[in-house]
Amino acid sequence: HLSTMGDPSEKIKVAKIVKYLMRLSDRISFNLADYILTFSISIADEICKIQKIKFSSKKFYYSEVIDTNLFKPKIKIESNLKQSMNLESKFVLFYHGKFHPFHGMEYFFEAFKKLYKLNNKVRLIVLSFPSGMEKVMLSKDISSHPGMIFLPPVKYERLADILQIADLWVGRFKYDIEGDTAFSTCGVEAMACGKPIITYDNFENSRVIKDGVNGLLVPGEDVSAIVNKIKPFLNENGKKKLEMMGLVARKTVFKEFSNKKLLKWIENN
């Protein structure tokens, strides 16, 4: 309807009405609900502030939920994929998911180039090539980098197989309100597959990731910190340490993000 209207002022009026109705609908829905499922405690707090409801008046489940039967370590698939992609002797950094400005991947691209100079066996695999990412990559001389591997999108059921090739999964690195309010769903998928992750240190990330135990934490927007954190793991001993972190990462998923945990919460409430 908005696209067929000729008067710009009328379009603005209608847009404001639509926005108001959407907010009103949200307010009614949240106030009528007894149970609210959301990604994190930070988002739960934001909902309470925006919708003007008391946290204690609702039962919140604030966590990602992952199917741990689908996302799990698959040793044979990992071996076959690494062999077919010539990655057996390589150190594989892996990124998947939508590309958002608040992910701060430009910092990691710079760090990756420095890591490659230290060890040319480092590879950065990016699953998919989302719209808007090309400009960022080209501006950073990344798209033609010899250590970069771009994979096309895959079906969700296939994602767990592809994740097996990672030595370390790459998370977010930019301080931003959107990135600060929730832990990465894609990161949980990687952890469920027994892969440690590296991401920046904020409230939600540090609530899940214990540095050096089930993953790695660095200050946000700091290329040198990323390089220095990953550098000790580029040899075989380092990769073995990451494998041990990956085992703990999967245990973390069972404790914090499993579908069984959600079902138990539903049963108890």
Side-chain angles (χ1 to χ4, degrees):
H1 179 65
L2 286 173
S3 64
T4 61
M5 295 175 63
D7 188 346
S9 64
E10 288 299 316
K11 287 185 178 182
I12 293 172
K13 287 179 183 177
V14 173
K16 286 182 177 179
I17 292 170
V18 170
K19 191 174 182 179
Y20 170 78
L21 290 173
M22 290 175 67
R23 286 181 174 176
L24 179 62
S25 174
D26 283 348
R27 179 71 58 83
I28 293 170
S29 297
F30 280 114
N31 275 278
L32 288 176
D34 294 313
Y35 305 93
I36 299 175
L37 278 66
T38 187
F39 290 116
S40 69
I41 191 169
S42 297
I43 294 179
D45 285 337
E46 285 298 310
I47 289 171
C48 291
K49 290 176 185 176
I50 293 170
Q51 303 303 333
K52 297 179 180 179
I53 56 180
K54 291 183 179 180
F55 191 92
S56 59
S57 68
K58 306 291 179 182
K59 290 186 177 179
F60 279 93
Y61 186 87
Y62 36 83
S63 178
E64 307 279 359
V65 180
I66 291 293
D67 184 349
T68 50
N69 289 322
L70 175 61
F71 288 92
K72 60 184 179 181
K74 302 177 181 181
I75 297 173
K76 188 174 182 179
I77 289 176
E78 177 181 354
S79 177
N80 291 341
L81 278 175
K82 283 188 173 181
Q83 186 176 15
S84 66
M85 297 176 69
N86 193 28
L87 295 172
E88 290 175 296
S89 62
K90 306 299 190 293
F91 183 91
V92 180
L93 301 161
F94 195 102
Y95 173 84
H96 78 287
K98 291 183 178 180
F99 182 81
H100 296 294
F102 64 83
H103 284 184
M105 285 303 292
E106 62 270 23
Y107 298 100
F108 193 82
F109 290 150
E110 286 300 308
F112 162 68
K113 289 192 290 185
K114 292 178 183 294
L115 288 166
Y116 185 84
K117 287 181 180 179
L118 292 172
N119 187 331
N120 63 10
K121 290 187 177 182
V122 176
R123 296 292 181 269
L124 175 55
I125 295 180
V126 176
L127 178 61
S128 178
F129 211 156
S131 176
M133 198 171 183
E134 297 91 336
K135 292 182 180 178
V136 175
M137 287 185 167
L138 289 172
S139 66
K140 302 294 182 181
D141 298 321
I142 286 292
S143 60
S144 60
H145 194 283
M148 289 290 298
I149 300 174
F150 299 105
L151 299 179
V154 297
K155 291 183 178 180
Y156 188 68
E157 294 76 12
R158 174 70 171 152
L159 177 58
D161 292 349
I162 302 297
L163 279 168
Q164 305 300 320
I165 60 180
D167 290 306
L168 183 64
W169 188 85
V170 176
R172 303 166 179 166
F173 299 95
K174 187 173 183 178
Y175 292 114
D176 186 277
I177 185 62
E178 290 188 67
D180 289 347
T181 53
F183 190 73
S184 168
T185 303
C186 296
V188 178
E189 292 167 347
M191 291 172 69
C193 290
K195 306 300 175 180
I197 77 173
I198 181 169
T199 189
Y200 77 110
D201 191 354
N202 69 5
F203 171 73
E204 289 296 340
N205 290 340
S206 62
R207 194 171 65 86
V208 177
I209 299 300
K210 306 307 174 189
D211 188 38
V213 178
N214 59 355
L216 303 173
L217 291 173
V218 294
E221 304 177 11
D222 191 331
V223 173
S224 295
I226 298 170
V227 173
N228 291 332
K229 181 65 76 169
I230 296 176
K231 189 164 56 175
F233 298 97
L234 297 181
N235 53 43
E236 285 304 313
N237 286 335
K239 288 176 74 170
K240 288 178 181 177
K241 289 179 182 178
L242 288 178
E243 288 175 6
M244 297 303 294
M245 286 187 208
L247 295 176
V248 182
R250 180 160 172 81
K251 290 180 180 178
T252 303
V253 171
F254 272 107
K255 182 181 177 182
E256 300 290 341
F257 305 109
S258 71
N259 46 3
K260 291 180 180 178
K261 180 187 175 185
L262 174 58
L263 290 172
K264 188 175 181 179
W265 180 85
I266 293 171
E267 289 171 358
N268 292 337
N269 288 282

